[in-house]
Amino acid sequence: MEDLKLPSTLQEALISSLPASGYYVPNFITPTEEEQLLRKINTVPHPTWKHLSHRRLQAHPSPLSSSNTLLAADLPAWLSDPVIPRLLSIPLVNDSKDNIFSNSPHGEPNHCLINEYQPGQGIHAHEDGDAYYPVVATISLGSHIVLDVKPKDQAKDVGWRILQEPRSLLITTGELYTACLHGIGQIEIDEDLGAEGITNWQLLGDQGAFSGGQVVRETRISLTFRDVKKAQRLGKVFGALGRR
Ligand SMILES: O=C(O)CCC(=O)C(=O)O
Ligand SMILES: [Fe+2]
């Protein structure tokens, strides 16, 4: 049995050097769970992947409509279990029943984007916008990656680098979601890894794997779980059409 050591509250996982709030949990899933997820993701029928120039992606249960509405449906069980219950099991603070999605419109994630990056691929600096409740829970599979974060306010000449190990969970919310941009460099080797440049260095599960200062990327898959604010059940959509 592979043991998981989850933090007893999210405060233990707070990345304190970042604008509020980012949380990092190494080894959020086991190697066996990682393998099972990768197998599922890689055996979905080919058309499910949307190919972009610098990555490919799947949207579950489906992509958002042009008005940012989700056709509400359950996430596939292989994607939601055990990840979502585990995520919701971590209290925000001591002696609280609240978790990171307690105040979101649906009380839990209803959407998951799966991004795949080959070494040398990335995603330009962007914000995730207001289609979603401002919490993103990202699980990394297959390889580490560095997420670059900077304030939207260009006058602020600062930035942070978050190292995401395989099997880790990163939660971005608060100011980090609303006032910052995030992106992933299109490079094959991450360099300058260490306590100086990596903002979550003290929270890593295996600092030793990165202490040489540089690591070659392999194929990395991210699962980004979010709560889409506008979600409509199919019955309601048809009902509305019928009334026209
Ligand atoms: O792959 C990641 O970790 C980031 C993906 C991302 O920023 C997005 O899908 O909006
Ligand atoms: Fe994003």
Side-chain angles (χ1 to χ4, degrees):
M1 178 67 194
E2 297 160 297
D3 279 342
L4 284 174
K5 272 201 226 88
L6 295 180
S8 53
T9 73
L10 270 189
Q11 292 318 300
E12 285 175 24
L14 184 70
I15 311 176
S16 50
S17 47
L18 277 178
S21 293
Y23 304 94
Y24 181 78
V25 179
N27 298 310
F28 180 73
I29 61 170
T30 67
T32 306
E33 289 165 344
E34 178 186 37
E35 227 170 85
Q36 284 164 348
L37 280 163
L38 285 171
R39 195 169 329 121
K40 278 290 188 182
I41 291 165
N42 287 320
T43 52
V44 294
H46 185 71
T48 307
W49 285 106
K50 182 174 178 191
H51 290 260
L52 305 179
S53 56
H54 295 291
R55 64 194 157 105
R56 60 175 186 165
L57 67 90
Q58 295 176 22
H60 292 279
S62 58
L64 303 191
S65 76
S66 54
S67 66
N68 283 336
T69 304
L70 174 70
L71 186 54
D74 291 339
L75 285 166
W78 60 265
L79 195 51
S80 55
D81 271 337
V83 169
I84 293 183
R86 192 173 296 163
L87 174 66
L88 302 185
S89 77
I90 308 176
L92 269 178
V93 290
N94 260 332
D95 300 324
S96 164
K97 286 203 171 60
D98 279 354
N99 61 60
I100 196 73
F101 279 98
S102 288
N103 294 320
S104 82
H106 306 96
E108 61 181 349
N110 59 7
H111 196 246
C112 181
L113 277 181
I114 304 178
N115 283 297
E116 183 189 79
Y117 308 82
Q118 299 299 333
Q121 295 188 319
I123 186 168
H124 63 90
H126 67 280
E127 57 182 317
D128 289 348
D130 68 358
Y132 311 102
Y133 179 74
V135 172
V136 185
T138 303
I139 291 171
S140 291
L141 308 174
S143 176
H144 79 283
I145 216 154
V146 173
L147 188 76
D148 300 312
V149 178
K150 61 182 180 192
K152 278 200 260 184
D153 180 352
Q154 306 233 328
K156 295 189 183 153
D157 190 21
V158 285
W160 301 269
R161 297 168 71 217
I162 304 172
L163 178 57
Q164 294 176 259
E165 300 166 286
R167 298 179 296 285
S168 68
L169 165 72
L170 173 70
I171 300 176
T172 54
T173 181
E175 221 176 281
L176 192 55
Y177 187 103
T178 53
C180 294
L181 304 176
H182 57 276
I184 294 169
Q186 291 174 24
I187 53 179
E188 292 183 16
I189 304 176
D190 285 299
E191 296 182 327
D192 298 324
L193 305 176
E196 283 289 292
I198 295 296
T199 190
N200 59 324
W201 187 257
Q202 300 308 333
L203 293 168
L204 293 182
D206 184 11
Q207 283 178 351
F210 304 95
S211 54
Q214 60 176 48
V215 180
V216 177
R217 285 189 194 165
E218 291 173 57
T219 302
R220 182 256 188 178
I221 289 189
S222 64
L223 314 179
T224 54
F225 290 93
R226 307 168 224 228
D227 188 353
V228 178
K229 290 180 188 166
K230 288 191 279 178
Q232 267 191 338
R233 292 263 156 204
L234 193 56
K236 289 218 167 130
V237 175
F238 281 139
L241 289 174
R243 282 197 297 276
R244 290 213 285 201

